């Protein structure tokens, strides 16, 4: 097997390299990732009421998530820069947690997938929530950053086990 046949970030001598995807087909690809931001109910209420000292926590986190997805190849070594065709950041309250569920769905038409872009988006959006709400509560926790779904490409579709969502 040659280096071109193996999708590895290491060449035959063990040197790190960006995988050559030039021979892969350009296909529609999509990935959805999620994280949970756990906080006290009073903190969640403050955020939802729009009374956080730093402003609109959810809207700022949404913008941060979009910006992060677009910067993924600058943040993750050996990650390909991709032409992103869609980024949707959904931040919803979860009273049972209590906290916020952060989901990102990222789309492209490219020779490689967008899982890292979706994961980066939810991570940075969640960190932004923490940053904007830390004056209210310092015990906020970021939990369970994970890929929920991906489609497109040679490996096909992946869907996480729903029982662990």
């Amino acid at each position: 097997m040659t280096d071109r046949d193996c999708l590895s970030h290491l060449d035959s001598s063990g040197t790190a390299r960006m995988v050559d995807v030039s021979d892969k087909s350009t296909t529609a690809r999509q990935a959805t990732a999620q994280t949970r931001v756990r906080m006290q109910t009073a903190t969640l209420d403050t955020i939802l009421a729009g009374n956080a000292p730093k402003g609109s926590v959810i809207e700022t986190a949404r913008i941060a998530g979009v910006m992060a997805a677009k910067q993924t190849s600058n943040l993750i070594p050996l990650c390909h820069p991709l032409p992103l065709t869609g980024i949707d950041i959904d931040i919803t309250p979860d009273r049972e947690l209590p906290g916020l569920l952060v989901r990102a769905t990222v789309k492209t038409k490219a020779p490689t997938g967008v899982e890292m872009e979706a994961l980066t988006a939810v991570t940075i959006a969640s960190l932004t929530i923490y940053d904007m709400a830390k004056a209210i509560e310092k015990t906020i926790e970021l939990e369970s950053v994970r890929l929920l779904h991906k489609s497109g490409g040679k490996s096909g579709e992946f869907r996480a086990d729903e029982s662990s969502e």
Side-chain angles (χ1 to χ4, degrees), residues 38-80:
R38 184 183 300 272
M39 61 191 67
Q40 297 171 9
T41 301
T43 303
L44 178 60
D45 290 342
T46 299
I47 290 170
L48 295 177
N51 295 329
K54 289 187 171 184
S56 177
V57 173
I58 292 175
E59 288 310 308
T60 303
R62 183 174 287 123
I63 292 167
V66 169
M67 291 173 63
K70 292 169 34 173
Q71 292 297 314
T72 300
S73 66
N74 292 325
L75 300 170
I76 308 294
L78 309 176
C79 192
H80 293 87

Side-chain angles (χ1 to χ4, degrees), residues 118-136:
L119 289 162
T120 300
V122 296
T123 302
I124 297 302
S126 297
L127 287 169
T128 301
I129 292 166
Y130 181 91
D131 181 55
M132 294 195 69
K134 69 186 178 203
I136 305 164

